[in-house]
Amino acid sequence: MAFFLETLIGGLMSGMLYSLIAIGFVLIFKASGVFNFAQGAMVLFAALAMARFSEWIPAALGIENKVLGNVLAFAAAMVVMIAVAWLIERLVLGKLVNQEGITLLMATLGITYFLDGFGQTLFGSDIYKIDVGMPKDPIFLFDSVFPGGILVSQEDLYAAVIAAALVAALSLFFQKTATGRALRAVADDHQAAQSIGIPLSRIWVIVWSVAGFVALVAGIIWGSKLGVQFSLSLVALKALPVVILGGLTSVPGAIIGGLIIGVGEKLSEVFIGPMFGGGIEIWFAYVLALVFLLVRPQGLFGEKIIDRV
């Protein structure tokens, strides 16, 4: 039982990180109708910016306090991600309003490869470390209930708590603030929102900026866990099945979908993987997404489209 709970908790913590990245996809799709394949590249770009700024800024200013250096590096990386979001909207997607979906898809793919290459040109292509002070030693929980307790990674636990707090903050932002309500209005009907004075271009910049902030937080967490390297953009793409499972337009769906996939891939790898030689964790999420596309293409919480003839 203790081993099962260890696996379950590990899956929930991984799932929360998937949910965080998936929210970036959902936000942009809800506001602009663009399925942003560049979200993974944004995570890598943000992580590279944070890693390099955390080296450059303290060295340039003579700062020895690591916390202050990380705060300044985070602020600088956030400015960079907002600038990237603004440029993407102004120079690319703002010019492609009302174009075919395939055109927008190819645009985001182009942005993906540009950010991958430009990020490594600007910040370097080595493997960098991000040290934000998250403890890496495991701890044992419930040792009075289970013999030996349940082994939990402190780093994963901190990361899951941060991701959960950010997800909750974004949910409150969309529900309680005027800007959040404007974003939801744009998501429901672009033309109706524009007719009552909501500026679409400003809303899209805000959405991309929020997605950039989400990418930065996700990049810091994953970069702290795995190191900042090219594979981060591939890890971020694990959020694609999450979005398909939860629904392209649903923030709660992104959360639930992330938890389902996080738990499912861990449990399947541990309990089913040995029967097939392992490796299930790599493809589990994509097979589950394929099943949903065949059975329920709108996802668990997505809006079902009804064509009247």
PDB file of all heavy atoms in Angstrom, residues 241-242 244-245 257 259-262 264-265 283-296 300:
ATOM      1  N   PRO A 241      -1.222  16.217 -24.794  1.00  0.00           N
ATOM      2  CA  PRO A 241      -2.254  15.240 -24.442  1.00  0.00           C
ATOM      3  C   PRO A 241      -3.143  15.709 -23.288  1.00  0.00           C
ATOM      4  O   PRO A 241      -4.324  15.371 -23.242  1.00  0.00           O
ATOM      5  CB  PRO A 241      -1.453  13.989 -24.047  1.00  0.00           C
ATOM      6  CG  PRO A 241      -0.135  14.157 -24.684  1.00  0.00           C
ATOM      7  CD  PRO A 241       0.126  15.621 -24.712  1.00  0.00           C
ATOM      8  N   VAL A 242      -2.562  16.484 -22.369  1.00  0.00           N
ATOM      9  CA  VAL A 242      -3.358  17.008 -21.257  1.00  0.00           C
ATOM     10  C   VAL A 242      -4.479  17.891 -21.776  1.00  0.00           C
ATOM     11  O   VAL A 242      -5.632  17.787 -21.351  1.00  0.00           O
ATOM     12  CB  VAL A 242      -2.460  17.802 -20.282  1.00  0.00           C
ATOM     13  CG1 VAL A 242      -3.301  18.484 -19.206  1.00  0.00           C
ATOM     14  CG2 VAL A 242      -1.432  16.889 -19.640  1.00  0.00           C
ATOM     15  N   ILE A 244      -5.786  17.889 -24.807  1.00  0.00           N
ATOM     16  CA  ILE A 244      -6.747  17.071 -25.557  1.00  0.00           C
ATOM     17  C   ILE A 244      -7.681  16.337 -24.600  1.00  0.00           C
ATOM     18  O   ILE A 244      -8.897  16.246 -24.829  1.00  0.00           O
ATOM     19  CB  ILE A 244      -6.002  16.082 -26.468  1.00  0.00           C
ATOM     20  CG1 ILE A 244      -5.261  16.842 -27.575  1.00  0.00           C
ATOM     21  CG2 ILE A 244      -6.973  15.069 -27.080  1.00  0.00           C
ATOM     22  CD1 ILE A 244      -4.333  15.978 -28.398  1.00  0.00           C
ATOM     23  N   LEU A 245      -7.130  15.842 -23.520  1.00  0.00           N
ATOM     24  CA  LEU A 245      -7.925  15.097 -22.547  1.00  0.00           C
ATOM     25  C   LEU A 245      -8.905  16.008 -21.809  1.00  0.00           C
ATOM     26  O   LEU A 245     -10.080  15.674 -21.651  1.00  0.00           O
ATOM     27  CB  LEU A 245      -6.997  14.410 -21.541  1.00  0.00           C
ATOM     28  CG  LEU A 245      -7.639  13.534 -20.463  1.00  0.00           C
ATOM     29  CD1 LEU A 245      -8.383  12.372 -21.100  1.00  0.00           C
ATOM     30  CD2 LEU A 245      -6.579  13.023 -19.501  1.00  0.00           C
ATOM     31  N   GLY A 257      -7.060  17.050 -16.417  1.00  0.00           N
ATOM     32  CA  GLY A 257      -6.342  16.255 -17.415  1.00  0.00           C
ATOM     33  C   GLY A 257      -4.894  16.030 -17.019  1.00  0.00           C
ATOM     34  O   GLY A 257      -4.352  14.932 -17.179  1.00  0.00           O
ATOM     35  N   LEU A 259      -3.641  15.947 -13.966  1.00  0.00           N
ATOM     36  CA  LEU A 259      -3.579  14.997 -12.849  1.00  0.00           C
ATOM     37  C   LEU A 259      -3.825  13.570 -13.328  1.00  0.00           C
ATOM     38  O   LEU A 259      -3.151  12.634 -12.881  1.00  0.00           O
ATOM     39  CB  LEU A 259      -4.607  15.385 -11.781  1.00  0.00           C
ATOM     40  CG  LEU A 259      -4.367  16.735 -11.083  1.00  0.00           C
ATOM     41  CD1 LEU A 259      -5.491  17.034 -10.106  1.00  0.00           C
ATOM     42  CD2 LEU A 259      -3.019  16.756 -10.373  1.00  0.00           C
ATOM     43  N   ILE A 260      -4.789  13.404 -14.236  1.00  0.00           N
ATOM     44  CA  ILE A 260      -5.079  12.061 -14.749  1.00  0.00           C
ATOM     45  C   ILE A 260      -3.864  11.481 -15.472  1.00  0.00           C
ATOM     46  O   ILE A 260      -3.472  10.326 -15.253  1.00  0.00           O
ATOM     47  CB  ILE A 260      -6.302  12.089 -15.685  1.00  0.00           C
ATOM     48  CG1 ILE A 260      -7.580  12.370 -14.885  1.00  0.00           C
ATOM     49  CG2 ILE A 260      -6.439  10.764 -16.438  1.00  0.00           C
ATOM     50  CD1 ILE A 260      -8.808  12.564 -15.747  1.00  0.00           C
ATOM     51  N   ILE A 261      -3.245  12.290 -16.325  1.00  0.00           N
ATOM     52  CA  ILE A 261      -2.111  11.792 -17.094  1.00  0.00           C
ATOM     53  C   ILE A 261      -0.900  11.579 -16.186  1.00  0.00           C
ATOM     54  O   ILE A 261      -0.173  10.583 -16.317  1.00  0.00           O
ATOM     55  CB  ILE A 261      -1.792  12.757 -18.243  1.00  0.00           C
ATOM     56  CG1 ILE A 261      -2.834  12.566 -19.348  1.00  0.00           C
ATOM     57  CG2 ILE A 261      -0.383  12.531 -18.782  1.00  0.00           C
ATOM     58  CD1 ILE A 261      -2.641  13.427 -20.561  1.00  0.00           C
ATOM     59  N   GLY A 262      -0.668  12.489 -15.241  1.00  0.00           N
ATOM     60  CA  GLY A 262       0.455  12.316 -14.323  1.00  0.00           C
ATOM     61  C   GLY A 262       0.343  11.033 -13.526  1.00  0.00           C
ATOM     62  O   GLY A 262       1.304  10.257 -13.419  1.00  0.00           O
ATOM     63  N   GLY A 264      -1.710   8.433 -14.243  1.00  0.00           N
ATOM     64  CA  GLY A 264      -1.819   7.287 -15.144  1.00  0.00           C
ATOM     65  C   GLY A 264      -0.474   6.802 -15.651  1.00  0.00           C
ATOM     66  O   GLY A 264      -0.210   5.591 -15.676  1.00  0.00           O
ATOM     67  N   GLU A 265       0.396   7.741 -16.046  1.00  0.00           N
ATOM     68  CA  GLU A 265       1.678   7.295 -16.593  1.00  0.00           C
ATOM     69  C   GLU A 265       2.578   6.698 -15.515  1.00  0.00           C
ATOM     70  O   GLU A 265       3.331   5.765 -15.777  1.00  0.00           O
ATOM     71  CB  GLU A 265       2.370   8.451 -17.315  1.00  0.00           C
ATOM     72  CG  GLU A 265       2.849   9.579 -16.446  1.00  0.00           C
ATOM     73  CD  GLU A 265       3.533  10.673 -17.244  1.00  0.00           C
ATOM     74  OE1 GLU A 265       3.389  10.689 -18.483  1.00  0.00           O
ATOM     75  OE2 GLU A 265       4.211  11.521 -16.631  1.00  0.00           O
ATOM     76  N   TRP A 283       4.975   6.888 -23.706  1.00  0.00           N
ATOM     77  CA  TRP A 283       3.904   7.019 -24.697  1.00  0.00           C
ATOM     78  C   TRP A 283       2.499   6.945 -24.114  1.00  0.00           C
ATOM     79  O   TRP A 283       1.514   7.130 -24.837  1.00  0.00           O
ATOM     80  CB  TRP A 283       4.050   5.948 -25.784  1.00  0.00           C
ATOM     81  CG  TRP A 283       4.187   4.531 -25.298  1.00  0.00           C
ATOM     82  CD1 TRP A 283       5.322   3.818 -25.184  1.00  0.00           C
ATOM     83  CD2 TRP A 283       3.132   3.634 -24.872  1.00  0.00           C
ATOM     84  NE1 TRP A 283       5.065   2.538 -24.712  1.00  0.00           N
ATOM     85  CE2 TRP A 283       3.719   2.399 -24.517  1.00  0.00           C
ATOM     86  CE3 TRP A 283       1.751   3.763 -24.757  1.00  0.00           C
ATOM     87  CZ2 TRP A 283       2.991   1.314 -24.060  1.00  0.00           C
ATOM     88  CZ3 TRP A 283       1.014   2.681 -24.292  1.00  0.00           C
ATOM     89  CH2 TRP A 283       1.633   1.477 -23.949  1.00  0.00           C
ATOM     90  N   PHE A 284       2.360   6.706 -22.838  1.00  0.00           N
ATOM     91  CA  PHE A 284       1.037   6.540 -22.244  1.00  0.00           C
ATOM     92  C   PHE A 284       0.128   7.730 -22.519  1.00  0.00           C
ATOM     93  O   PHE A 284      -1.029   7.574 -22.923  1.00  0.00           O
ATOM     94  CB  PHE A 284       1.170   6.318 -20.732  1.00  0.00           C
ATOM     95  CG  PHE A 284      -0.155   6.302 -19.999  1.00  0.00           C
ATOM     96  CD1 PHE A 284      -0.904   5.149 -19.920  1.00  0.00           C
ATOM     97  CD2 PHE A 284      -0.661   7.459 -19.403  1.00  0.00           C
ATOM     98  CE1 PHE A 284      -2.130   5.127 -19.256  1.00  0.00           C
ATOM     99  CE2 PHE A 284      -1.875   7.457 -18.745  1.00  0.00           C
ATOM    100  CZ  PHE A 284      -2.613   6.291 -18.668  1.00  0.00           C
ATOM    101  N   ALA A 285       0.627   8.942 -22.284  1.00  0.00           N
ATOM    102  CA  ALA A 285      -0.208  10.146 -22.429  1.00  0.00           C
ATOM    103  C   ALA A 285      -0.718  10.301 -23.852  1.00  0.00           C
ATOM    104  O   ALA A 285      -1.885  10.675 -24.072  1.00  0.00           O
ATOM    105  CB  ALA A 285       0.592  11.382 -22.013  1.00  0.00           C
ATOM    106  N   TYR A 286       0.122   9.980 -24.849  1.00  0.00           N
ATOM    107  CA  TYR A 286      -0.270  10.181 -26.242  1.00  0.00           C
ATOM    108  C   TYR A 286      -1.291   9.131 -26.693  1.00  0.00           C
ATOM    109  O   TYR A 286      -2.196   9.442 -27.474  1.00  0.00           O
ATOM    110  CB  TYR A 286       0.976  10.153 -27.124  1.00  0.00           C
ATOM    111  CG  TYR A 286       1.949  11.252 -26.767  1.00  0.00           C
ATOM    112  CD1 TYR A 286       3.039  10.997 -25.945  1.00  0.00           C
ATOM    113  CD2 TYR A 286       1.768  12.556 -27.210  1.00  0.00           C
ATOM    114  CE1 TYR A 286       3.928  11.997 -25.594  1.00  0.00           C
ATOM    115  CE2 TYR A 286       2.647  13.563 -26.873  1.00  0.00           C
ATOM    116  CZ  TYR A 286       3.719  13.286 -26.058  1.00  0.00           C
ATOM    117  OH  TYR A 286       4.583  14.289 -25.698  1.00  0.00           O
ATOM    118  N   VAL A 287      -1.147   7.916 -26.204  1.00  0.00           N
ATOM    119  CA  VAL A 287      -2.132   6.884 -26.535  1.00  0.00           C
ATOM    120  C   VAL A 287      -3.482   7.226 -25.903  1.00  0.00           C
ATOM    121  O   VAL A 287      -4.536   7.085 -26.533  1.00  0.00           O
ATOM    122  CB  VAL A 287      -1.642   5.500 -26.066  1.00  0.00           C
ATOM    123  CG1 VAL A 287      -2.743   4.457 -26.208  1.00  0.00           C
ATOM    124  CG2 VAL A 287      -0.414   5.080 -26.857  1.00  0.00           C
ATOM    125  N   LEU A 288      -3.458   7.695 -24.660  1.00  0.00           N
ATOM    126  CA  LEU A 288      -4.700   8.094 -24.003  1.00  0.00           C
ATOM    127  C   LEU A 288      -5.362   9.249 -24.753  1.00  0.00           C
ATOM    128  O   LEU A 288      -6.590   9.268 -24.930  1.00  0.00           O
ATOM    129  CB  LEU A 288      -4.417   8.496 -22.552  1.00  0.00           C
ATOM    130  CG  LEU A 288      -5.631   8.853 -21.691  1.00  0.00           C
ATOM    131  CD1 LEU A 288      -6.589   7.662 -21.584  1.00  0.00           C
ATOM    132  CD2 LEU A 288      -5.189   9.300 -20.301  1.00  0.00           C
ATOM    133  N   ALA A 289      -4.545  10.201 -25.220  1.00  0.00           N
ATOM    134  CA  ALA A 289      -5.092  11.317 -25.996  1.00  0.00           C
ATOM    135  C   ALA A 289      -5.707  10.822 -27.301  1.00  0.00           C
ATOM    136  O   ALA A 289      -6.766  11.308 -27.722  1.00  0.00           O
ATOM    137  CB  ALA A 289      -3.993  12.336 -26.278  1.00  0.00           C
ATOM    138  N   LEU A 290      -5.069   9.856 -27.940  1.00  0.00           N
ATOM    139  CA  LEU A 290      -5.599   9.293 -29.186  1.00  0.00           C
ATOM    140  C   LEU A 290      -6.952   8.635 -28.949  1.00  0.00           C
ATOM    141  O   LEU A 290      -7.889   8.795 -29.745  1.00  0.00           O
ATOM    142  CB  LEU A 290      -4.603   8.284 -29.767  1.00  0.00           C
ATOM    143  CG  LEU A 290      -5.032   7.559 -31.048  1.00  0.00           C
ATOM    144  CD1 LEU A 290      -5.292   8.548 -32.163  1.00  0.00           C
ATOM    145  CD2 LEU A 290      -3.971   6.534 -31.451  1.00  0.00           C
ATOM    146  N   VAL A 291      -7.070   7.902 -27.845  1.00  0.00           N
ATOM    147  CA  VAL A 291      -8.348   7.270 -27.506  1.00  0.00           C
ATOM    148  C   VAL A 291      -9.431   8.325 -27.331  1.00  0.00           C
ATOM    149  O   VAL A 291     -10.561   8.179 -27.821  1.00  0.00           O
ATOM    150  CB  VAL A 291      -8.198   6.421 -26.225  1.00  0.00           C
ATOM    151  CG1 VAL A 291      -9.567   5.944 -25.746  1.00  0.00           C
ATOM    152  CG2 VAL A 291      -7.278   5.239 -26.477  1.00  0.00           C
ATOM    153  N   PHE A 292      -9.110   9.413 -26.649  1.00  0.00           N
ATOM    154  CA  PHE A 292     -10.097  10.476 -26.452  1.00  0.00           C
ATOM    155  C   PHE A 292     -10.475  11.140 -27.771  1.00  0.00           C
ATOM    156  O   PHE A 292     -11.631  11.520 -27.977  1.00  0.00           O
ATOM    157  CB  PHE A 292      -9.569  11.509 -25.456  1.00  0.00           C
ATOM    158  CG  PHE A 292     -10.034  11.258 -24.046  1.00  0.00           C
ATOM    159  CD1 PHE A 292      -9.425  10.294 -23.268  1.00  0.00           C
ATOM    160  CD2 PHE A 292     -11.097  11.967 -23.509  1.00  0.00           C
ATOM    161  CE1 PHE A 292      -9.852  10.040 -21.981  1.00  0.00           C
ATOM    162  CE2 PHE A 292     -11.542  11.717 -22.225  1.00  0.00           C
ATOM    163  CZ  PHE A 292     -10.921  10.759 -21.445  1.00  0.00           C
ATOM    164  N   LEU A 293      -9.508  11.300 -28.675  1.00  0.00           N
ATOM    165  CA  LEU A 293      -9.822  11.888 -29.975  1.00  0.00           C
ATOM    166  C   LEU A 293     -10.803  11.022 -30.752  1.00  0.00           C
ATOM    167  O   LEU A 293     -11.643  11.527 -31.505  1.00  0.00           O
ATOM    168  CB  LEU A 293      -8.543  12.085 -30.787  1.00  0.00           C
ATOM    169  CG  LEU A 293      -7.636  13.245 -30.350  1.00  0.00           C
ATOM    170  CD1 LEU A 293      -6.338  13.212 -31.143  1.00  0.00           C
ATOM    171  CD2 LEU A 293      -8.337  14.583 -30.542  1.00  0.00           C
ATOM    172  N   LEU A 294     -10.707   9.713 -30.560  1.00  0.00           N
ATOM    173  CA  LEU A 294     -11.611   8.801 -31.259  1.00  0.00           C
ATOM    174  C   LEU A 294     -12.986   8.722 -30.594  1.00  0.00           C
ATOM    175  O   LEU A 294     -14.002   8.574 -31.279  1.00  0.00           O
ATOM    176  CB  LEU A 294     -10.990   7.394 -31.295  1.00  0.00           C
ATOM    177  CG  LEU A 294      -9.701   7.253 -32.116  1.00  0.00           C
ATOM    178  CD1 LEU A 294      -9.109   5.864 -31.930  1.00  0.00           C
ATOM    179  CD2 LEU A 294      -9.960   7.538 -33.583  1.00  0.00           C
ATOM    180  N   VAL A 295     -13.016   8.822 -29.273  1.00  0.00           N
ATOM    181  CA  VAL A 295     -14.255   8.609 -28.520  1.00  0.00           C
ATOM    182  C   VAL A 295     -14.934   9.919 -28.141  1.00  0.00           C
ATOM    183  O   VAL A 295     -16.153  10.076 -28.291  1.00  0.00           O
ATOM    184  CB  VAL A 295     -13.977   7.764 -27.261  1.00  0.00           C
ATOM    185  CG1 VAL A 295     -15.244   7.597 -26.433  1.00  0.00           C
ATOM    186  CG2 VAL A 295     -13.395   6.414 -27.635  1.00  0.00           C
ATOM    187  N   ARG A 296     -14.174  10.866 -27.643  1.00  0.00           N
ATOM    188  CA  ARG A 296     -14.723  12.148 -27.187  1.00  0.00           C
ATOM    189  C   ARG A 296     -13.752  13.259 -27.591  1.00  0.00           C
ATOM    190  O   ARG A 296     -12.965  13.744 -26.777  1.00  0.00           O
ATOM    191  CB  ARG A 296     -14.948  12.136 -25.678  1.00  0.00           C
ATOM    192  CG  ARG A 296     -15.684  13.357 -25.148  1.00  0.00           C
ATOM    193  CD  ARG A 296     -15.908  13.284 -23.635  1.00  0.00           C
ATOM    194  NE  ARG A 296     -16.439  14.521 -23.114  1.00  0.00           N
ATOM    195  CZ  ARG A 296     -17.718  14.879 -23.111  1.00  0.00           C
ATOM    196  NH1 ARG A 296     -18.617  14.038 -23.612  1.00  0.00           N
ATOM    197  NH2 ARG A 296     -18.114  16.033 -22.625  1.00  0.00           N
ATOM    198  N   LEU A 300     -12.836  16.032 -21.872  1.00  0.00           N
ATOM    199  CA  LEU A 300     -13.739  15.849 -20.742  1.00  0.00           C
ATOM    200  C   LEU A 300     -14.600  17.072 -20.483  1.00  0.00           C
ATOM    201  O   LEU A 300     -15.785  16.966 -20.164  1.00  0.00           O
ATOM    202  CB  LEU A 300     -12.925  15.521 -19.479  1.00  0.00           C
ATOM    203  CG  LEU A 300     -12.245  14.150 -19.434  1.00  0.00           C
ATOM    204  CD1 LEU A 300     -11.336  14.061 -18.222  1.00  0.00           C
ATOM    205  CD2 LEU A 300     -13.285  13.030 -19.400  1.00  0.00           C
TER     206      LEU A 300
END
